[in-house]
Amino acid sequence: MNRIIKEKQQPKAEFFATVKLLSAIRTGFSTFWKKYKMFVGYGISCILAVIYLTIWPFDGVFFTISVVWALSFQRLRYAYVSITKKGVVTMWTIFCFGLSGILMQVLKVEEHYAVSAIAAGIIVTIFYSYISIISYYLKYNDKLYGWDCDRKTKYNGILLSLLIYSATLALAEFVDNQTKEKKEQQFLQQQFNKEMFVPVKIIETESFKGTTYYVLEAKGEKFFVSPFKYPEVRNIKENSEVKVILGDVDSEYRLKGVKKIQFKN
């Protein structure tokens, strides 16, 4: 009988011991977090920033976008659910800088900045909207609700975030286009370097919309050249030669244009 009673009491004792242990852990963590939460927050934020700046090669576009997005978090002091403590706002600013930089680097597709900027921008915008809730439950801020005009809310607005996001996306798109154009020019130059000079002759001149164009023949193809863009075309002789890469057929002129040409008159 005593053994049966002991067996029944043992699970109950273990349960209360577990509850007591969990309670002690919770109390200890609560004390630790209350005392060191700012150190932990700044530590994680700085680690993210260091990871972003050291693991990947420096990229001016990503760095600029990260700085702009990070500085935009300074407006948390004036958000719907405001954070009045400057130290907390600065912590989230550093956190955003590291997070956005890492996201763009991880999500980068070849040389396309816009793709990673779109994905990272969406995440950062959502994060800004929910940061008041995160700050409240992590004890960085004591406000859970604020006011959006006359409506009570616990989320920060995203309108200004979207405007900032759109501006940085335009920058990324511009860089994308510049990078693409530079690559195309490099590839074109590589092709052009492989070309040989071949005989060329003038077939005729044509006027189109008040502009005169020379119709030439080389490499068994007819194509048009503008004398304003390539004035050397006016000096073609019987023994002239060209090194040329032809473009597509122009829908208006019904002749091929040129991507790159060099004359030897």
Side-chain angles (χ1 to χ4, degrees):
M1 178 66 73
N2 290 335
R3 188 176 67 181
I4 294 174
I5 294 173
K6 287 181 180 179
E7 287 177 353
K8 288 183 178 181
Q9 289 178 341
Q10 187 175 359
K12 191 174 182 180
E14 290 178 353
F15 172 76
F16 283 113
T18 303
V19 171
K20 188 175 181 180
L21 176 62
L22 291 175
S23 178
I25 292 173
R26 182 179 178 183
T27 303
F29 179 78
S30 179
T31 302
F32 168 83
W33 188 252
K34 184 177 181 180
K35 189 173 182 180
Y36 298 107
K37 62 179 182 288
M38 292 303 296
F39 292 99
V40 174
Y42 269 97
I44 294 174
S45 300
C46 291
I47 287 172
L48 287 177
V50 170
I51 289 173
Y52 163 49
L53 293 173
T54 57
I55 289 184
W56 294 277
F58 179 80
D59 189 299
V61 177
F62 284 163
F63 180 80
T64 301
I65 293 175
S66 296
V67 169
V68 171
W69 285 352
L71 291 177
S72 73
F73 272 55
Q74 287 291 314
R75 71 187 197 277
L76 284 170
R77 286 180 287 175
Y78 315 104
Y80 294 154
V81 186
S82 60
I83 298 177
T84 56
K85 297 176 182 177
K86 293 182 179 180
V88 174
V89 174
T90 301
M91 180 195 74
W92 285 127
T93 299
I94 299 171
F95 185 90
C96 175
F97 171 76
L99 176 65
S100 59
I102 291 172
L103 286 172
M104 284 188 288
Q105 289 286 9
V106 170
L107 299 173
K108 186 177 180 181
V109 180
E110 296 181 351
E111 296 299 322
H112 300 295
Y113 290 89
V115 174
S116 54
I118 290 172
I122 292 172
I123 295 172
V124 171
T125 300
I126 294 173
F127 179 68
Y128 177 81
S129 182
Y130 280 82
I131 200 169
S132 54
I133 301 173
I134 298 171
S135 297
Y136 177 80
Y137 285 110
L138 290 179
K139 308 298 182 183
Y140 287 121
N141 199 28
D142 55 3
K143 291 175 62 178
L144 181 59
Y145 291 95
W147 291 92
D148 176 6
C149 297
D150 59 347
R151 182 170 60 90
K152 194 174 183 181
T153 182
K154 57 181 179 180
Y155 306 102
N156 287 326
I158 62 171
L159 179 60
L160 186 54
S161 294
L162 290 175
L163 292 175
I164 296 171
Y165 163 70
S166 299
T168 52
L169 180 58
L171 170 63
E173 185 66 28
F174 173 76
V175 174
D176 261 5
N177 291 334
Q178 292 293 104
T179 303
K180 182 179 178 181
E181 184 178 345
K182 185 178 179 180
K183 277 191 168 184
E184 288 177 350
Q185 289 299 322
Q186 288 175 343
F187 180 71
L188 180 62
Q189 187 61 48
Q190 290 173 356
Q191 285 184 304
F192 192 71
N193 292 339
K194 296 176 183 178
E195 292 290 326
M196 304 293 292
F197 279 101
V198 295
V200 63
K201 62 179 179 179
I202 296 177
I203 302 298
E204 59 182 336
T205 58
E206 293 184 4
S207 293
F208 185 80
K209 294 182 179 179
T211 303
T212 299
Y213 294 92
Y214 284 74
V215 179
L216 309 182
E217 184 175 355
K219 300 167 64 173
E221 299 269 9
K222 291 181 181 179
F223 53 95
F224 70 93
V225 174
S226 168
F228 301 102
K229 189 173 182 180
Y230 302 101
E232 302 96 327
V233 71
R234 301 187 181 102
N235 302 323
I236 288 181
K237 307 183 182 97
E238 286 187 9
N239 60 344
S240 292
E241 294 180 329
V242 292
K243 185 176 4 177
V244 62
I245 295 179
L246 299 177
D248 298 326
V249 175
D250 189 277
S251 59
E252 290 185 319
Y253 306 135
R254 304 297 176 87
L255 280 174
K256 286 188 174 182
V258 296
K259 291 184 177 179
K260 196 172 183 66
I261 190 169
Q262 182 179 346
F263 293 88
K264 185 190 286 187
N265 293 324

